[in-house]
Amino acid sequence: MRLAQADPAPLRRHRLAQCHRDNAEALAAIVARHGWPHADLVGSPASTAAVMILLHSPDLGFRLRCRDLIARATADGHTPAIHFAYVADQCAVDLGQPQYYGTRISPRTLRPYPIRHPQSVDERRSDVGLGPLQEQLQALRITG
């Protein structure tokens, strides 16, 4: 991914897209066989890696199915709520709907995509283990 960002040549972007598709296909096979790979099944690092693969999957239908699996795993205490927050927001933005937690930020503006009930977003963020949105935006501006 870093190579593709450093050299955004068409071939490198194609390879990155193929890598995302391949990783998503492998994750889909795991999910079909075992359900969502939550931390109790595969450990925290692998479960977090699964979320990262899911977030880069080109298949919205697959992301939506996994969002629902992650919601159940979160409710059962098997998956950190922050995993659900990132996936739910990604799905909402991709569906053209307001996000809930403000985790999706426009790379062009460094502002969040529309947020449902923005006046209470920090309360929802706190519930899933995220800091205040303004702190995240400030950090992006400093490091961005």
Side-chain angles (χ1 to χ4, degrees), residues 9-143:
L11 180 58
R12 194 166 307 262
R13 283 195 314 270
H14 172 74
R15 287 182 182 155
L16 180 61
Q18 186 61 51
C19 179
H20 289 319
R21 283 190 299 273
D22 291 347
N23 287 343
E25 285 177 19
L27 180 59
I30 291 167
V31 169
R33 185 163 189 195
H34 302 284
W36 181 252
H38 56 76
D40 292 349
L41 290 175
V42 298
S44 286
S47 182
T48 299
V51 169
M52 297 307 294
I53 290 168
L54 182 63
L55 290 172
H56 289 96
S57 169
D59 184 348
L60 177 58
F62 176 59
R63 285 198 313 266
L64 290 168
R65 287 189 303 278
C66 288
R67 177 200 60 191
D68 296 343
L69 293 173
I70 293 168
R72 281 194 291 267
T74 299
D76 292 343
H78 297 298
T79 296
I82 196 168
H83 288 189
F84 174 74
Y86 277 98
V87 173
D89 277 359
Q90 177 79 34
C91 290
V93 168
D94 288 346
L95 290 167
Q97 300 171 351
Q99 57 181 324
Y100 295 94
Y101 303 97
T103 63
R104 298 288 296 133
I105 307 295
S106 168
R108 280 182 252 123
T109 65
L110 294 182
R111 301 291 311 154
Y113 289 101
I115 299 171
R116 183 181 312 262
H117 307 296
Q119 68 279 7
S120 58
V121 69
D122 283 338
E123 194 174 310
R124 290 189 302 276
R125 288 173 64 88
S126 178
D127 289 345
V128 298
L130 290 165
L133 181 58
Q134 286 305 315
E135 287 181 12
Q136 178 184 352
L137 295 175
Q138 181 65 30
L140 281 173
R141 289 185 186 104
I142 291 170
T143 61

